[in-house]
Amino acid sequence: MRALTDFTIASDEAASGDGGGATLAFSGPMTVASLGPIDARIRDVPAPLARIDMTGVTRIDTVGAWVAWRVAQRTGARIVNCKPEAERLIAAVSQADDNREPVAGERLPLFSRVPARVGETIIGLGRGTLQVLGFLGLYVQACWALLRRPSTFRTKALVHQMELVGVNALGIIALMSFLVGIVIAQQGAVQLRQFGAEIYTVNLVGRLTLRELGILMTAIMVAGRSGSAFAAQLGTMKLTEEVDAMRTIGVSPMEALVIPRILATMIMMPLLGIYSAFLGIVGGAFLSSLTLGIPFFTFLARIQEVVPLHDVWVGLVKGPVFGLIVAVSGCYQGLQVRNNAEEVGTRTTAAVVMAIFMVIVLDAFFAVFFTEIGWG
């Protein structure tokens, strides 16, 4: 049977030693496993006490030392007759932090705290930018190694990723693009009707979908769908040490995991962008045939007349660049996972935010660039 802690309280007449007063005497082992039954009783011990006698304690751990010390603090008693082990533990417990000091330090004044936080954010962005550039450098280096050894390229992995990124996304992109085309046509027609220029709805839908919204909405959709998947997949593999195992057996994670994903996204993004633009035009033609009196096929024929060919090239040029941004963001964030499963979710969110932000920023630069070269 397991021995339990017990205690007795001797009155003034029965107390031994000098000084008088009641004495609380512990007996048995004072360990975390044996103190439970006396927890309620020890809290109800009346104060004050003169002494706490540790003569009968056979074994003690940190919890037992803390109980004895807390009782002594509450009742004002002296702890006597301690064995050397108990004396060391009680001395250590008495010097420990009793949580009366605030855990968090004092906050800096507002005029100091805000610039400090801004500075930390800017330094973090700078370091992150350098790390992403380093990741791109590793990607270029791995591509160069594959060019020298084409037989090691994983064609099946590339085709599989092209299916996941492109073919499996056709349904959701078709629905999104068709509805966006309807919205553009409807809102544009409402505004143009004020000037009797509903016919220019064809120009609005055609140029906007082929030049901007087709590839931009596709990039955002792929970032939320495939970019997040890349980050979650690689982050989970990093957390379960599969990436380290690949390095151990001589397989480059960059060649096996990153290159197929990036190449697949760069290849499929222009195709998905043209597909999205086409469905957007079909959506605009569908609405125009219902509300504007423009026949469906007349709308499509008019698109060929009013949309310059360079608008198609603008969308095609943006596609691989947006695909590179989306895939690099997902793969980079996934390979940054270090500690726990929560970081997988954090990095996945960061991958989507990073990809969408960079896509929109680059789209603005592309708009200025193409305008300057006369493709506006």
Side-chain angles (χ1 to χ4, degrees):
M1 184 175 178
R2 186 178 66 183
L4 300 177
T5 310
D6 200 3
F7 68 90
T8 58
I9 300 178
S11 60
D12 294 350
E13 294 78 7
S16 59
D18 54 343
T23 299
L24 185 149
F26 283 108
S27 61
M30 292 187 66
T31 63
V32 66
S34 59
L35 283 164
I38 69 164
D39 181 67
R41 291 169 53 206
I42 202 70
R43 294 174 186 272
D44 295 334
V45 170
L49 295 174
R51 290 166 295 279
I52 296 177
D53 189 358
M54 306 289 287
T55 304
V57 176
T58 58
R59 192 168 70 255
I60 191 170
D61 62 8
T62 306
V63 177
W66 181 83
V67 169
W69 181 72
R70 292 296 295 175
V71 173
Q73 289 292 105
R74 183 169 59 85
T75 61
R78 291 183 300 110
I79 301 177
V80 298
N81 300 327
C82 290
K83 296 177 181 179
E85 179 186 5
E87 188 172 352
R88 286 196 303 271
L89 287 175
I90 292 173
V93 169
S94 65
Q95 296 173 5
D97 180 20
D98 58 3
N99 293 328
R100 287 180 295 183
E101 297 296 329
V103 176
E106 294 184 4
R107 299 183 70 185
L108 294 172
L110 182 63
F111 61 86
S112 299
R113 188 169 68 250
V114 172
R117 187 60 181 270
V118 171
E120 291 173 0
T121 302
I122 293 175
I123 291 173
L125 289 174
R127 290 175 178 171
T129 302
L130 291 178
Q131 290 175 353
V132 173
L133 291 176
F135 183 80
L136 280 173
L138 291 176
Y139 169 71
V140 173
Q141 183 180 9
C143 289
W144 175 248
L146 282 179
L147 289 176
R148 291 184 297 169
R149 296 178 283 105
S151 60
T152 62
F153 182 69
R154 290 167 169 78
T155 307
K156 292 183 179 179
L158 174 64
V159 173
H160 177 63
Q161 292 299 328
M162 289 174 64
E163 178 184 4
L164 295 178
V165 174
V167 178
N168 291 353
L170 291 177
I172 185 64
I173 289 179
L175 178 61
M176 174 198 69
S177 303
F178 184 79
L179 295 177
V180 167
I182 289 177
V183 171
I184 294 174
Q186 193 272 333
Q187 293 297 319
V190 169
Q191 299 302 319
L192 293 172
R193 186 175 291 119
Q194 303 177 36
F195 309 99
E198 295 97 327
I199 190 62
Y200 290 106
T201 303
V202 180
N203 303 52
L204 178 66
V205 173
R207 300 204 65 181
L208 198 56
T209 53
L210 282 169
R211 186 183 181 93
E212 294 292 340
L213 283 186
I215 190 64
L216 183 61
M217 295 300 293
T218 300
I220 292 174
M221 183 64 68
V222 172
R225 186 180 177 277
S226 298
S228 60
F230 293 166
Q233 291 165 2
L234 297 184
T236 303
M237 293 181 70
K238 192 74 183 296
L239 199 62
T240 56
E241 299 182 352
E242 293 178 63
V243 176
D244 296 332
M246 293 176 67
R247 291 194 180 100
T248 302
I249 63 177
V251 177
S252 170
M254 186 66 68
E255 295 181 8
L257 301 175
V258 175
I259 288 180
R261 287 171 166 81
I262 294 180
L263 287 182
T265 310
M266 292 179 66
I267 293 171
M268 296 307 298
M269 187 70 77
L271 302 179
L272 290 175
I274 294 298
Y275 173 75
S276 173
F278 173 74
L279 267 297
I281 291 172
V282 170
F286 175 76
L287 182 83
S288 297
S289 64
L290 293 180
T291 62
L292 301 180
I294 303 175
F296 184 87
F297 291 102
T298 303
F299 187 101
L300 297 182
R302 178 72 176 163
I303 288 288
Q304 301 178 32
E305 301 174 7
V306 300
V307 177
L309 184 60
H310 61 70
D311 280 356
V312 179
W313 285 110
V314 168
L316 288 174
V317 169
K318 291 179 181 179
V321 180
F322 289 172
L324 176 67
I325 294 298
V326 169
V328 166
S329 299
C331 294
Y332 167 76
Q333 294 292 348
L335 291 177
Q336 295 303 304
V337 172
R338 292 287 184 272
N339 299 320
N340 50 48
E342 182 181 359
E343 194 168 353
V344 175
T346 302
R347 290 292 181 175
T348 301
T349 303
V352 176
V353 173
M354 175 181 173
I356 294 176
F357 174 78
M358 289 304 300
V359 162
I360 294 175
V361 170
L362 283 176
D363 189 64
F365 279 108
F366 273 125
V368 175
F369 172 75
F370 287 124
T371 301
E372 290 295 326
I373 66 173
W375 281 12

